[in-house]
Short mmCIF file of all heavy atoms in Angstrom, two decimals:
data_model
loop_
_atom_site.label_atom_id
_atom_site.label_comp_id
_atom_site.label_asym_id
_atom_site.label_seq_id
_atom_site.Cartn_x
_atom_site.Cartn_y
_atom_site.Cartn_z
N ASP T 136 -80.69 85.59 83.55
CA ASP T 136 -81.78 86.38 82.97
C ASP T 136 -82.12 85.92 81.55
O ASP T 136 -83.29 85.96 81.15
CB ASP T 136 -81.41 87.87 82.99
CG ASP T 136 -81.52 88.47 84.39
OD1 ASP T 136 -82.23 87.88 85.23
OD2 ASP T 136 -80.91 89.52 84.65
N ALA T 137 -81.11 85.49 80.81
CA ALA T 137 -81.37 84.98 79.46
C ALA T 137 -82.23 83.73 79.53
O ALA T 137 -83.17 83.56 78.74
CB ALA T 137 -80.06 84.70 78.74
N LEU T 138 -81.95 82.86 80.48
CA LEU T 138 -82.76 81.64 80.64
C LEU T 138 -84.17 81.99 81.08
O LEU T 138 -85.16 81.48 80.53
CB LEU T 138 -82.11 80.70 81.66
CG LEU T 138 -80.76 80.08 81.27
CD1 LEU T 138 -80.18 79.29 82.44
CD2 LEU T 138 -80.91 79.17 80.05
N VAL T 139 -84.26 82.85 82.08
CA VAL T 139 -85.56 83.22 82.64
C VAL T 139 -86.44 83.88 81.57
O VAL T 139 -87.65 83.64 81.51
CB VAL T 139 -85.33 84.15 83.86
CG1 VAL T 139 -86.60 84.91 84.22
CG2 VAL T 139 -84.84 83.33 85.05
N ALA T 140 -85.82 84.67 80.71
CA ALA T 140 -86.57 85.36 79.65
C ALA T 140 -87.21 84.37 78.68
O ALA T 140 -88.12 84.72 77.93
CB ALA T 140 -85.66 86.32 78.89
N GLU T 141 -86.73 83.13 78.69
CA GLU T 141 -87.31 82.09 77.84
C GLU T 141 -88.23 81.16 78.62
O GLU T 141 -88.50 80.04 78.17
CB GLU T 141 -86.19 81.25 77.21
CG GLU T 141 -85.45 81.94 76.10
CD GLU T 141 -84.50 80.99 75.37
OE1 GLU T 141 -84.23 79.88 75.89
OE2 GLU T 141 -84.04 81.36 74.31
N GLY T 142 -88.68 81.58 79.77
CA GLY T 142 -89.67 80.77 80.48
C GLY T 142 -89.10 79.75 81.44
O GLY T 142 -89.82 78.88 81.93
N VAL T 143 -87.81 79.85 81.76
CA VAL T 143 -87.21 78.91 82.72
C VAL T 143 -87.63 79.31 84.14
O VAL T 143 -87.52 80.48 84.52
CB VAL T 143 -85.68 78.89 82.59
CG1 VAL T 143 -85.04 78.15 83.77
CG2 VAL T 143 -85.27 78.23 81.27
N THR T 144 -88.15 78.35 84.90
CA THR T 144 -88.56 78.61 86.27
C THR T 144 -87.73 77.85 87.30
O THR T 144 -87.82 78.12 88.49
CB THR T 144 -90.06 78.26 86.48
OG1 THR T 144 -90.30 76.96 85.95
CG2 THR T 144 -90.97 79.28 85.79
N THR T 145 -86.93 76.88 86.84
CA THR T 145 -86.01 76.17 87.74
C THR T 145 -84.69 75.95 87.00
O THR T 145 -84.70 75.54 85.83
CB THR T 145 -86.55 74.79 88.17
OG1 THR T 145 -87.83 74.95 88.78
CG2 THR T 145 -85.61 74.11 89.16
N VAL T 146 -83.60 76.22 87.68
CA VAL T 146 -82.29 76.01 87.06
C VAL T 146 -81.38 75.29 88.06
O VAL T 146 -81.37 75.62 89.25
CB VAL T 146 -81.68 77.34 86.57
CG1 VAL T 146 -81.49 78.33 87.71
CG2 VAL T 146 -80.36 77.13 85.85
N GLU T 147 -80.67 74.30 87.56
CA GLU T 147 -79.65 73.63 88.37
C GLU T 147 -78.34 74.36 88.14
O GLU T 147 -78.05 74.80 87.02
CB GLU T 147 -79.55 72.17 87.93
CG GLU T 147 -78.61 71.32 88.77
CD GLU T 147 -77.30 71.00 88.10
OE1 GLU T 147 -76.93 71.67 87.11
OE2 GLU T 147 -76.62 70.07 88.54
N VAL T 148 -77.55 74.52 89.21
CA VAL T 148 -76.26 75.19 89.10
C VAL T 148 -75.21 74.35 89.81
O VAL T 148 -75.37 74.01 90.99
CB VAL T 148 -76.30 76.61 89.73
CG1 VAL T 148 -74.94 77.29 89.58
CG2 VAL T 148 -77.39 77.47 89.10
N LYS T 149 -74.14 74.03 89.09
CA LYS T 149 -73.08 73.19 89.66
C LYS T 149 -71.92 74.05 90.15
O LYS T 149 -71.64 75.11 89.59
CB LYS T 149 -72.54 72.23 88.59
CG LYS T 149 -73.58 71.27 88.03
CD LYS T 149 -72.99 70.42 86.93
CE LYS T 149 -74.09 69.74 86.11
NZ LYS T 149 -74.87 68.74 86.84
N SER T 150 -71.21 73.53 91.14
CA SER T 150 -69.92 74.11 91.50
C SER T 150 -68.87 73.44 90.62
O SER T 150 -69.18 72.97 89.54
CB SER T 150 -69.64 73.89 92.99
OG SER T 150 -69.42 72.50 93.23
N GLY T 151 -67.62 73.42 91.04
CA GLY T 151 -66.62 72.67 90.28
C GLY T 151 -65.53 73.50 89.63
O GLY T 151 -64.66 72.96 88.96
N TYR T 152 -65.58 74.82 89.82
CA TYR T 152 -64.47 75.66 89.35
C TYR T 152 -63.74 76.30 90.54
O TYR T 152 -62.91 77.19 90.34
CB TYR T 152 -64.98 76.75 88.41
CG TYR T 152 -65.52 76.25 87.09
CD1 TYR T 152 -66.87 76.42 86.77
CD2 TYR T 152 -64.68 75.62 86.16
CE1 TYR T 152 -67.37 75.98 85.55
CE2 TYR T 152 -65.19 75.17 84.95
CZ TYR T 152 -66.52 75.36 84.64
OH TYR T 152 -67.02 74.92 83.44
N GLY T 153 -64.08 75.88 91.75
CA GLY T 153 -63.38 76.38 92.93
C GLY T 153 -62.33 75.36 93.37
O GLY T 153 -61.17 75.67 93.54
N LEU T 154 -62.83 74.13 93.56
CA LEU T 154 -61.98 72.96 93.82
C LEU T 154 -61.12 73.07 95.07
O LEU T 154 -60.11 72.38 95.20
CB LEU T 154 -61.14 72.62 92.57
CG LEU T 154 -61.98 72.37 91.30
CD1 LEU T 154 -61.09 71.99 90.13
CD2 LEU T 154 -63.03 71.29 91.53
N ASP T 155 -61.50 73.95 95.98
CA ASP T 155 -61.07 73.85 97.38
C ASP T 155 -62.27 74.29 98.21
O ASP T 155 -63.26 74.81 97.65
CB ASP T 155 -59.80 74.67 97.68
CG ASP T 155 -59.98 76.16 97.43
OD1 ASP T 155 -61.13 76.66 97.46
OD2 ASP T 155 -58.96 76.84 97.19
N LEU T 156 -62.20 74.07 99.51
CA LEU T 156 -63.39 74.29 100.33
C LEU T 156 -63.94 75.71 100.18
O LEU T 156 -65.13 75.91 99.92
CB LEU T 156 -63.07 73.98 101.80
CG LEU T 156 -64.24 74.21 102.78
CD1 LEU T 156 -65.41 73.31 102.44
CD2 LEU T 156 -63.78 73.98 104.22
N GLU T 157 -63.07 76.68 100.33
CA GLU T 157 -63.49 78.07 100.35
C GLU T 157 -64.12 78.49 99.01
O GLU T 157 -65.15 79.16 98.97
CB GLU T 157 -62.25 78.91 100.68
CG GLU T 157 -62.37 80.39 100.55
CD GLU T 157 -60.95 81.02 100.42
OE1 GLU T 157 -59.95 80.31 100.64
OE2 GLU T 157 -60.90 82.19 100.08
N ASN T 158 -63.50 78.05 97.92
CA ASN T 158 -63.99 78.50 96.61
C ASN T 158 -65.20 77.71 96.12
O ASN T 158 -66.04 78.24 95.40
CB ASN T 158 -62.85 78.48 95.60
CG ASN T 158 -61.88 79.63 95.84
OD1 ASN T 158 -62.23 80.79 95.64
ND2 ASN T 158 -60.68 79.31 96.31
N GLU T 159 -65.30 76.44 96.52
CA GLU T 159 -66.54 75.70 96.23
C GLU T 159 -67.70 76.30 97.02
O GLU T 159 -68.82 76.44 96.51
CB GLU T 159 -66.37 74.21 96.57
CG GLU T 159 -65.46 73.46 95.61
CD GLU T 159 -66.07 73.31 94.22
OE1 GLU T 159 -67.07 72.61 94.07
OE2 GLU T 159 -65.54 73.92 93.27
N ARG T 160 -67.41 76.68 98.28
CA ARG T 160 -68.45 77.34 99.10
C ARG T 160 -68.89 78.64 98.45
O ARG T 160 -70.09 78.94 98.39
CB ARG T 160 -67.91 77.60 100.50
CG ARG T 160 -68.90 78.35 101.40
CD ARG T 160 -68.26 78.78 102.71
NE ARG T 160 -68.05 77.67 103.61
CZ ARG T 160 -66.89 77.38 104.20
NH1 ARG T 160 -65.82 78.13 103.97
NH2 ARG T 160 -66.79 76.37 105.04
N LYS T 161 -67.94 79.38 97.95
CA LYS T 161 -68.25 80.67 97.30
C LYS T 161 -69.15 80.46 96.08
O LYS T 161 -70.13 81.19 95.89
CB LYS T 161 -66.93 81.34 96.90
CG LYS T 161 -67.07 82.70 96.24
CD LYS T 161 -65.70 83.33 96.02
CE LYS T 161 -64.94 82.62 94.91
NZ LYS T 161 -63.57 83.17 94.71
N MET T 162 -68.85 79.45 95.29
CA MET T 162 -69.68 79.17 94.10
C MET T 162 -71.09 78.77 94.48
O MET T 162 -72.07 79.24 93.90
CB MET T 162 -69.06 78.03 93.27
CG MET T 162 -67.82 78.41 92.49
SD MET T 162 -67.37 77.06 91.36
CE MET T 162 -68.60 77.25 90.06
N LEU T 163 -71.20 77.85 95.46
CA LEU T 163 -72.53 77.36 95.85
C LEU T 163 -73.34 78.47 96.53
O LEU T 163 -74.56 78.57 96.34
CB LEU T 163 -72.39 76.14 96.76
CG LEU T 163 -71.81 74.90 96.08
CD1 LEU T 163 -71.41 73.84 97.10
CD2 LEU T 163 -72.79 74.32 95.06
N SER T 164 -72.65 79.31 97.29
CA SER T 164 -73.34 80.44 97.92
C SER T 164 -73.83 81.42 96.86
O SER T 164 -74.93 81.99 96.98
CB SER T 164 -72.42 81.16 98.91
OG SER T 164 -71.95 80.27 99.89
N ALA T 165 -73.02 81.64 95.83
CA ALA T 165 -73.44 82.51 94.73
C ALA T 165 -74.68 81.94 94.05
O ALA T 165 -75.62 82.67 93.72
CB ALA T 165 -72.30 82.68 93.72
N ALA T 166 -74.69 80.62 93.86
CA ALA T 166 -75.86 79.98 93.24
C ALA T 166 -77.10 80.18 94.10
O ALA T 166 -78.17 80.55 93.59
CB ALA T 166 -75.59 78.49 93.03
N ARG T 167 -76.97 79.95 95.41
CA ARG T 167 -78.11 80.18 96.30
C ARG T 167 -78.57 81.64 96.23
O ARG T 167 -79.77 81.93 96.23
CB ARG T 167 -77.71 79.85 97.75
CG ARG T 167 -77.62 78.37 98.06
CD ARG T 167 -78.99 77.81 98.46
NE ARG T 167 -78.89 76.47 98.99
CZ ARG T 167 -79.21 75.36 98.34
NH1 ARG T 167 -79.68 75.42 97.11
NH2 ARG T 167 -79.10 74.18 98.91
#
Side-chain angles (χ1 to χ4, degrees):
D136 285 340
L138 293 174
V139 162
E141 286 189 346
V143 168
T144 49
T145 303
V146 60
E147 185 254 18
V148 181
K149 299 177 195 294
S150 68
Y152 293 116
L154 303 182
D155 61 23
L156 178 61
E157 170 200 349
N158 286 292
E159 288 291 294
R160 177 189 287 128
K161 181 174 71 183
M162 286 189 76
L163 293 167
S164 302
R167 285 274 190 256

